[in-house]
């Protein structure tokens, strides 16, 4: 799992994501070209004008995206050569993971008027998307309150936003599944078919990477039994009925003594998850928390 507070990979990811977004908005291909890039609308404003702007959330939400916003204006300061007293100042009134009501002021930004307007959309795009991820995650987590079941995310993330959305999930109270294809095994139907069966796939995984978690997706009680006997660390119950899940929990206790963890997946909706937790599964994974998003409505206004 990623230590978001201390990971150089995560910090570099924020920096690189912001650079790509600024290049996209300013119509250039590389960070070096940003120095010559033009915001032709912002250039209508006298170059020495200063301004103060306030950003408000029009929706209730869980805030996420502080460092992306900071990075947008930091990079623009560097591009346009604003330092010291001339540098952009951002004052935050909230923190990542904080629940806010509609019409809450999130932050105030002051500095060169052109720069603020050039960075506005890029900054708010990150903030509205990541806050949306954190907010929908929080909604699902609330439905799991008072249970021992944890909410997991998936790899169904916006391309280029994997670590950002994974971080947002944690801000909403969820738990990261594997980050990508490199840090844990998830052996699914096509892997099983290509490997020659569940047992063979697990055996090969143990040989190739003995220190990695091995998870297997199963679609029947028979496949569950084979995965348990082969020593899978986690078993994903794909589209199991509540009755099948109860049977799976009992079987897992009998064969592995509860050592193997069970995860439920497949079209998980808010009205379903409570029912699935009653049987005592360890995890529920939900793709919707990173792909079915309603961006938080944000507004920036000069004051």
């Amino acid at each position: 799992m990623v230590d978001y507070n201390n990971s150089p990979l995560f910090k570099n990811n924020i920096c690189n994501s912001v650079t790509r977004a600024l290049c996209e908005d300013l119509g250039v291909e590389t960070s070096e070209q940003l120095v010559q890039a033009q915001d032709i609308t912002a250039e209508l404003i006298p170059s020495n004008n200063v301004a103060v702007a306030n950003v408000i959330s029009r929706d209730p939400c869980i805030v996420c995206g502080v460092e992306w916003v900071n990075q947008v204006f930091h990079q623009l300061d560097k591009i346009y050569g604003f330092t010291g007293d001339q540098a952009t100042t951002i004052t935050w009134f909230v923190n990542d993971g904080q629940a806010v009501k509609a019409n809450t002021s999130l932050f105030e930004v002051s500095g060169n008027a052109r720069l603020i307007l050039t960075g506005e959309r890029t900054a708010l795009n990150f903030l509205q998307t990541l806050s949306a991820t954190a907010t929908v995650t929080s909604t699902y987590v609330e439905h799991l309150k008072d249970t021992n079941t944890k909410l997991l995310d998936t790899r169904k993330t916006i391309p280029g936003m994997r670590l950002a959305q994974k971080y947002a999930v944690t801000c909403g109270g969820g738990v990261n599944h594997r980050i990508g294809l490199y840090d844990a095994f998830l052996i699914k139907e096509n892997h099983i078919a290509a490997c020659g069966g569940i047992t063979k796939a697990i055996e090969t995984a143990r040989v190739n990477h003995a220190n990695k978690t091995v998870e297997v997706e199963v679609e029947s009680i028979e496949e569950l039994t084979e995965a348990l006997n082969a020593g899978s660390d986690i078993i994903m119950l794909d589209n199991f009925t509540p009755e099948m899940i109860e049977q799976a929990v009992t079987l897992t206790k009998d064969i592995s003594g509860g050592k193997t963890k069970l995860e439920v997946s497949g079209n998980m909706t808010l009205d379903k998850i409570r029912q699935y937790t009653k049987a005592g599964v360890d995890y529920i994974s939900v793709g919707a928390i990173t792909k079915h998003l309603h961006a938080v409505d944000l507004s920036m206004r000069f004051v």
Side-chain angles (χ1 to χ4, degrees), residues 222-291:
E222 291 73 26
E223 288 185 347
L224 168 67
T225 302
E226 183 179 355
L228 285 167
N229 287 323
S232 181
D233 298 311
I234 306 173
I235 298 176
M236 179 188 291
L237 310 175
D238 185 40
N239 289 309
F240 272 44
T241 65
E243 294 75 22
M244 290 173 68
I245 290 172
E246 290 181 5
Q247 186 179 352
V249 169
T250 300
L251 188 62
T252 299
K253 289 178 180 177
D254 291 342
I255 295 178
S256 77
K259 182 179 178 181
T260 302
K261 304 296 183 183
L262 292 180
E263 173 185 338
V264 177
S265 179
N267 299 312
M268 289 294 109
T269 57
L270 286 173
D271 59 336
K272 285 183 180 179
I273 61 173
R274 191 74 183 188
Q275 180 181 16
Y276 282 91
T277 60
K278 291 179 181 179
V281 296
D282 302 283
Y283 307 111
I284 289 182
S285 55
V286 180
I289 60 177
T290 51
K291 65 173 184 157

Side-chain angles (χ1 to χ4, degrees), residues 13-199:
N13 184 273
I14 295 173
C15 179
N16 293 336
S17 294
V18 167
T19 299
R20 287 194 300 270
L22 288 172
C23 285
E24 179 180 61
D25 213 16
L26 288 164
V28 297
E29 295 182 358
T30 68
S31 58
E32 291 76 15
Q33 294 172 326
L34 283 169
V35 177
Q36 287 81 39
Q38 291 181 297
D39 176 350
I40 60 174
T41 310
E43 289 175 0
L44 299 174
I45 302 166
S47 62
N48 60 348
N49 272 23
V50 296
V52 178
N54 191 32
V55 172
I56 295 171
S57 174
R58 300 298 185 189
D59 296 325
C61 70
I62 305 296
V63 176
C64 182
V66 168
E67 287 306 316
W68 285 262
V69 173
N70 291 343
Q71 185 64 213
V72 167
F73 292 108
H74 170 73
Q75 290 195 24
L76 288 174
D77 272 341
K78 187 175 180 181
I79 290 166
Y80 295 122
F82 293 119
T83 60
D85 293 341
Q86 291 185 317
T88 306
T89 299
I90 303 175
T91 303
W92 284 94
F93 308 120
V94 296
N95 300 307
D96 280 349
Q98 183 174 336
V100 301
K101 297 178 180 179
N103 299 315
T104 296
S105 181
L106 304 183
F107 70 91
E108 185 178 86
V109 55
S110 60
N112 181 272
R114 284 187 179 184
L115 184 150
I116 291 172
L117 289 172
T118 296
E120 173 188 3
R121 179 40 51 201
T122 298
L124 297 192
N125 279 350
F126 282 112
L127 190 60
Q128 70 184 20
T129 301
L130 297 181
S131 295
T133 303
T135 302
V136 69
T137 299
S138 177
T139 302
Y140 276 85
V141 169
E142 182 66 22
H143 278 66
L144 296 177
K145 189 168 64 175
D146 302 323
T147 75
N148 293 320
T149 305
K150 295 180 180 179
L151 179 75
L152 297 181
D153 52 24
T154 71
R155 286 171 47 242
K156 297 174 182 177
T157 53
I158 298 170
M161 292 284 286
R162 172 67 54 78
L163 276 179
Q165 284 197 286
K166 291 279 186 176
Y167 168 72
V169 166
T170 67
C171 288
V175 176
N176 292 155
H177 204 282
R178 60 180 181 157
I179 301 299
L181 297 172
Y182 59 93
D183 56 332
F185 288 98
L186 179 50
I187 302 168
K188 305 185 80 170
E189 178 184 8
N190 289 329
H191 300 103
I192 292 167
C195 286
I198 290 174
T199 301

